[in-house]
Amino acid sequence: MAYSFPEEVLEHVFSFLSSDRDRNAVSLVCKSWYDIERWCRRRIFVGNCYAVSPEIVIRRFPELRAVEMKGKPHFADFNLVPEGWGAYAYPWIAAMAEAYPFLEEIKLKRMVVTDESLELISKSYKNFKVLVLTSCEGFTTDGLASIAANCRHLRELDLRESEVEDLSGHWLSHFPDSCTSLVSLNMSCLGSEVSFSALERLVARSPNLRTLRLNRAVPLERLANLIRRAPQLVELGTGAYSAEIRSDTFSNLADAFSACKQLKTLSGFWDVVPSYLPAMYSVCSGITSLNLSYAAIPSSDLVKLINQCQNLQRLWVLDYIEDSGLDALAASCKGLQELRVFPSDPFGAEPNVPLTEQGLVSVSEGCPKLESVLYFCRQMSNAALIAIAKNRPNFIRFRLCIIDPQAPDYLTLEPLDTGFGAIVENCKELRRLSMTGLLTDRVFKYIGSHAKKLEMLSVAFAGDSDLGLHHVLSGCDSLRKLEIRDCPFGDKALLANAAKLETMRSLWMSSCFVSFGACKLLAQKMPRLNVEVIDERGPPESRPEGCSVERVYVYRTVDSRQRLDRPDFVWTLDEDSSLRYS
Amino acid sequence: MPADLNLRLGLPGSDQTDVDAAKSNKRASPEKAEDTASNGVPAAKSADDHETAPAPKAQIVGWPPVKSYRKSTAAAVKKAEAESGMYVKVSMDGAPYLRKIDIKLYNGYSHLLTALEDMFKLSIGEYSEREGYKGSEYAPAYEDKDGDLMLVGDVPWEMFMSSCKRLRIMRGADARGLGCAQ
């Protein structure tokens, strides 16, 4: 066209668009914009590795520099997805090694990554900078050694919460002396001891180091020397925070901390000896994020620490904080945005600490900016939930876990429907909700009517009938991820809302009442959905008609081929409803 | 939605057809993943009010939803707790300084009281519910979690261990109010 901008100009304009949504919108304007955009897109995010194939991605986006991807569904964190289900990174790594020699960043979550993949990464990309593996598994410290040895310009190595087979701590010594580019190192999930002198030298020669998260094996006595070499640190994860009580260790540590003027985030704190906590007091006024979720610290010591951290925005803590500690938090930390309280004794039948719904009520009252909560407790009432909802209509994430899965309102013995109903009604911006307790179809009616911005819903042991599921699928306009376990939901609601499933990333249902017949019908109706029946008892069609499948995982995909990496307990169903299994 | 939807509490296949859903506040207990009836539908255990004591809940797969690396931390924390001492201060009326003891080291009240008698060179005597520490000039008291001053010996030993914040050996007139005969 005579009046169209030259490609270079459009490319330049597009370079200001960083959000995927904006870039996707731009691609839809016309064919030439689609073409220009795809050549200049540098970063992609794939929310489900099976929604698309490496070939399709590479064909569309030939010049990527950064890839972020997620694999297993969220419930895999709680052992609900059998071992060997899938989410292998290797096919992606291998395909990208050929297609993207200039790739710089790989971020994976809940995927199986092998040493082979890590070695391939370390050798294929000359300018590789960032490797983040969140909740991944399948690799050993040998794979880490390859990365350390070969990635000359490595900036980030972050292994958060991954399960690594820890053969030795020797991998760290593979960083060459010439490597001075490190900005972030997170090795907190590793078990074995690394060479402390190698670690100190690495830290000393990394002037850009902002994030250092040590593992438990780094003793407190070593911490002072490490942070002295990196006073520019912004995020620090300690190792074990215990040592014999000695005044020289203490003053050494306190000195080292006082030099860290930029410190904003603290984590680690395994095996805490409370007497050493005051060594950190000098940095506390600048701390915005504190993760004490591994620390068994009595409430009184926690309160003393929290009172020092007036600017706290995020706190992760064990229920040792008790209701009284949460009262103190509500009084001290008026800028608090996120609170997570984890159970110290998740499998104990009786409460081991005085932490109840009251703590959450206090914090919701006292902290006007609180928008994200994950709270484990052993009792809840509708009155408390209603109070919380009225106090904090600005919640974005509300995840409540009552340890007893079908616990009613402990005061009235009624279901907790009205309480959660109040949450969705008052918190109009709610994007994520996890519910527990005694819940009937009524709560789902409330959710369907009010939770219009809800994107992710987690449900367990709730509801009475298919109506519950139907309310959610038909009412929640923004729903992207729905995960359900042990609920009496079945075929009718699923089939009646089949079209909805294509507007979502995925649906997980385990231990519900979905029959194999319904799965086949769904697959037939919706060709762009993959319907996976995950059942370890053998071929589903060999069971009686109407029998429920153990698990079904439904997700939209543009990759029309069946998964080639299916294990023998996964059956995928395609359009003509013929059973395909390996 | 089709009119033939049979709405009721409880899982299909269970004996419990509870028509009046509003009244019942007990549901079929959640099941372990392995526990299925022959037709593949999870069998429902009816938890009715006739049970004298609730059966210990079976470990449910993946519940509570705590990531595995946190579970091992929780266990480690428990272990650490179990290994660490339970030190409480012990004061005696009139004594110039306090002592500290690890109540974990004692296996019961008599053991504890004998140790206190030894430590402070006094005699406390026998406990009785009705009369406290009759015949003794001293009464062992403790401050509990709520800050109240309580007589040692009233509650089971385990409960005492977890609620005792400090010990106080009271004497003379003050002790009278705590059930010590004078």
Side-chain angles (χ1 to χ4, degrees):
Chain A
M1 259 190 71
Y3 299 106
S4 61
F5 283 126
E7 266 184 37
E8 296 79 19
V9 176
L10 278 172
E11 230 187 83
H12 183 68
V13 171
F14 295 167
S15 70
F16 293 99
L17 299 174
S18 51
S19 111
D20 286 335
R21 280 212 184 139
D22 290 342
R23 281 192 164 259
N24 291 344
V26 148
S27 310
L28 292 174
V29 167
C30 64
K31 275 205 159 148
S32 69
W33 280 38
Y34 175 92
D35 240 349
I36 296 166
E37 194 283 319
R38 75 185 187 89
W39 277 94
C40 68
R41 192 173 310 205
R42 297 284 174 261
R43 324 189 127 254
I44 57 157
F45 169 74
V46 178
N48 172 6
C49 63
Y50 291 119
V52 70
S53 71
E55 291 71 36
I56 294 174
V57 170
I58 290 168
R59 193 171 62 220
R60 181 171 171 189
F61 300 115
E63 304 265 316
L64 292 181
R65 296 274 186 275
V67 173
E68 187 179 341
M69 190 174 310
K70 295 186 179 179
K72 299 185 202 174
H74 174 239
F75 271 177
D77 285 353
F78 316 126
N79 300 328
L80 293 180
V81 178
E83 188 87 28
W85 172 79
Y88 301 106
Y90 189 79
W92 287 90
I93 309 281
M96 295 193 305
E98 280 209 35
Y100 302 130
F102 300 110
L103 193 70
E104 294 177 1
E105 289 185 23
I106 295 177
K107 296 183 182 175
L108 305 175
K109 184 168 184 178
R110 284 192 208 99
M111 293 192 75
V112 177
V113 181
T114 55
D115 284 348
E116 220 185 346
S117 300
L118 292 177
E119 204 177 318
L120 194 53
I121 290 174
S122 74
K123 303 226 162 105
S124 309
Y125 311 115
K126 300 294 167 237
N127 209 21
F128 195 71
K129 298 201 169 104
V130 173
L131 181 64
V132 178
L133 300 174
T134 307
S135 303
C136 292
E137 49 164 352
F139 60 103
T140 76
T141 40
D142 284 353
L144 297 179
S146 309
I147 298 283
N150 301 319
C151 299
R152 308 245 179 89
H153 309 283
L154 194 67
R155 290 211 196 137
E156 283 183 46
L157 178 59
D158 187 334
L159 305 170
R160 47 183 102 153
E161 302 173 11
S162 289
E163 259 181 56
V164 185
E165 194 184 325
D166 207 323
L167 301 172
S168 87
H170 198 58
W171 66 274
L172 189 94
S173 309
H174 284 257
F175 278 110
D177 287 341
S178 55
C179 176
T180 57
S181 48
L182 264 188
V183 173
S184 167
L185 177 63
N186 179 356
M187 43 180 262
S188 54
C189 61
L190 297 178
S192 49
E193 215 176 76
V194 297
S195 149
F196 298 132
S197 57
L199 182 57
E200 276 175 26
R201 279 181 284 120
L202 179 62
V203 169
R205 66 175 183 275
S206 305
N208 298 316
L209 195 66
R210 293 277 171 277
T211 299
L212 178 64
R213 298 200 202 260
L214 304 167
N215 65 344
R216 193 177 189 167
V218 178
L220 191 59
E221 293 90 341
R222 291 274 174 182
L223 188 61
N225 280 348
L226 279 167
I227 60 185
R228 239 187 260 285
R229 285 167 168 71
Q232 76 283 7
L233 276 179
V234 175
E235 302 185 331
L236 171 68
T238 73
Y241 206 77
S242 68
E244 220 182 279
I245 300 186
R246 297 174 46 151
S247 55
D248 54 348
T249 314
F250 183 93
S251 52
N252 205 11
L253 190 58
D255 255 352
F257 268 117
S258 62
C260 295
K261 309 279 187 213
Q262 328 257 27
L263 215 45
K264 293 241 170 307
T265 301
L266 286 171
S267 60
F269 299 108
W270 288 278
D271 316 315
V272 175
V273 164
S275 318
Y276 275 105
L277 289 173
M280 295 185 331
Y281 282 1
S282 61
V283 296
C284 283
S285 59
I287 294 296
T288 55
S289 172
L290 191 51
N291 182 352
L292 297 168
S293 60
Y294 300 111
I297 307 178
S299 178
S300 49
D301 292 298
L302 276 171
V303 167
K304 283 193 208 132
L305 180 58
I306 286 168
N307 284 339
Q308 302 282 324
C309 303
Q310 308 274 332
N311 289 311
L312 204 57
Q313 291 172 10
R314 183 200 296 183
L315 176 65
W316 291 21
V317 74
L318 284 170
D319 55 10
Y320 289 124
I321 193 169
E322 302 182 5
D323 285 342
S324 55
L326 290 174
D327 288 339
L329 178 67
S332 290
C333 303
K334 293 306 185 183
L336 195 70
Q337 294 171 14
E338 177 179 327
L339 174 66
R340 295 195 190 190
V341 179
F342 295 97
S344 52
D345 185 15
F347 303 111
E350 295 304 313
N352 59 324
V353 285
L355 179 112
T356 68
E357 81 282 10
Q358 192 43 52
L360 187 55
V361 173
S362 296
V363 181
S364 71
E365 247 170 48
C367 300
K369 299 204 174 141
L370 188 67
E371 59 179 28
S372 175
V373 158
L374 168 61
Y375 199 77
F376 282 82
C377 60
R378 284 186 159 85
Q379 65 185 41
M380 187 49 63
S381 67
N382 284 311
L385 283 171
I386 292 168
I388 290 165
K390 296 230 159 88
N391 288 336
R392 282 287 62 76
N394 48 322
F395 273 133
I396 293 177
R397 281 172 226 101
F398 188 77
R399 297 159 71 188
L400 179 68
C401 181
I402 308 170
I403 302 275
D404 179 0
Q406 286 172 318
D409 176 328
Y410 77 100
L411 296 169
T412 64
L413 296 183
E414 280 173 4
L416 290 170
D417 299 337
T418 41
F420 280 106
I423 296 280
V424 292
E425 205 177 341
N426 284 284
C427 305
K428 304 207 193 301
E429 301 298 313
L430 196 68
R431 295 202 303 252
R432 183 169 180 181
L433 177 65
S434 302
M435 309 192 291
T436 43
L438 184 63
L439 296 163
T440 73
D441 282 348
R442 235 185 349 247
V443 75
F444 297 105
K445 187 152 188 243
Y446 298 146
I447 292 174
S449 318
H450 295 288
K452 295 305 181 185
K453 299 231 175 129
L454 193 66
E455 296 178 9
M456 181 169 179
L457 178 63
S458 309
V459 182
F461 305 104
D464 311 311
S465 74
D466 269 40
L467 257 185
L469 180 57
H470 175 68
H471 286 311
V472 170
L473 289 176
S474 57
C476 295
D477 300 332
S478 310
L479 198 62
R480 292 188 303 116
K481 291 178 277 183
L482 179 56
E483 48 184 23
I484 300 172
R485 65 164 294 178
D486 293 273
C487 296
F489 299 151
D491 303 345
K492 293 186 167 93
L494 204 55
L495 293 170
N497 292 282
K500 171 74 173 178
L501 298 179
E502 225 183 74
T503 69
M504 293 166 51
R505 181 187 295 173
S506 65
L507 166 68
W508 169 278
M509 292 178 72
S510 56
S511 304
C512 296
F513 294 135
V514 180
S515 73
F516 185 58
C519 294
K520 282 193 282 190
L521 260 176
L522 183 61
Q524 229 174 1
K525 255 177 125 171
M526 309 293 304
R528 282 184 297 197
L529 290 180
N530 261 3
V531 179
E532 286 191 19
V533 171
I534 303 167
D535 202 320
E536 291 171 289
R537 297 169 303 177
E541 77 278 11
S542 67
R543 305 191 157 266
E545 191 79 35
C547 171
S548 305
V549 299
E550 276 181 349
R551 308 166 193 83
V552 59
Y553 184 44
V554 182
Y555 52 90
R556 64 182 174 190
T557 179
V558 296
D559 185 2
S560 53
R561 310 162 311 174
Q562 298 302 308
R563 269 179 64 187
L564 297 171
D565 60 0
R566 282 189 317 282
D568 57 14
F569 52 82
V570 173
W571 284 268
T572 55
L573 305 156
D574 68 6
E575 275 171 61
D576 60 30
S577 202
S578 62
L579 192 57
R580 299 270 179 88
Y581 56 96
S582 44
Chain B
M1 289 299 290
D4 60 342
L5 255 183
N6 188 3
L7 300 177
R8 58 190 169 126
L9 273 181
L11 307 170
S14 74
D15 309 307
Q16 206 179 8
T17 43
D18 207 337
V19 176
D20 197 349
K23 271 200 203 147
S24 164
N25 48 39
K26 285 219 175 172
R27 297 169 59 89
S29 309
E31 292 308 305
K32 274 196 277 204
E34 308 88 65
D35 212 348
T36 56
S38 58
N39 68 350
V41 174
K45 282 199 201 118
S46 58
D48 60 58
D49 300 59
H50 299 304
E51 283 176 20
T52 44
K57 281 238 167 77
Q59 233 14 305
I60 304 166
V61 173
W63 194 266
V66 175
K67 292 184 189 168
S68 45
Y69 64 86
R70 286 201 182 280
K71 283 185 215 163
S72 52
T73 310
V77 156
K78 262 199 125 166
K79 190 165 170 267
E81 264 193 319
E83 284 165 8
S84 68
M86 239 183 209
Y87 282 90
V88 295
K89 290 183 189 170
V90 188
S91 61
M92 184 170 96
D93 293 351
Y97 52 81
L98 281 64
R99 302 299 301 271
K100 229 174 187 181
I101 58 168
D102 181 358
I103 46 183
K104 271 231 177 91
L105 296 179
Y106 306 101
N107 51 33
Y109 284 122
S110 50
H111 194 187
L112 170 68
L113 293 173
T114 311
L116 289 176
E117 285 178 338
D118 252 342
M119 196 183 254
F120 291 97
K121 311 282 180 280
L122 45 80
S123 165
I124 296 178
E126 287 282 317
Y127 167 81
S128 85
E129 200 182 88
R130 232 176 132 250
E131 294 173 348
Y133 293 89
K134 174 183 173 157
S136 167
E137 208 189 348
Y138 301 94
Y142 70 99
E143 200 180 295
D144 74 356
K145 278 181 182 163
D146 301 322
D148 298 321
L149 196 59
M150 316 282 294
L151 183 69
V152 168
D154 284 337
V155 301
W157 174 251
E158 302 294 337
M159 197 186 286
F160 164 76
M161 277 216 296
S162 61
S163 53
C164 171
K165 291 293 168 221
R166 66 185 282 164
L167 280 161
R168 182 179 159 193
I169 301 180
M170 302 176 71
R171 114 190 240 186
D174 298 327
R176 220 175 283 148
L178 281 173
C180 173
Q182 275 292 305

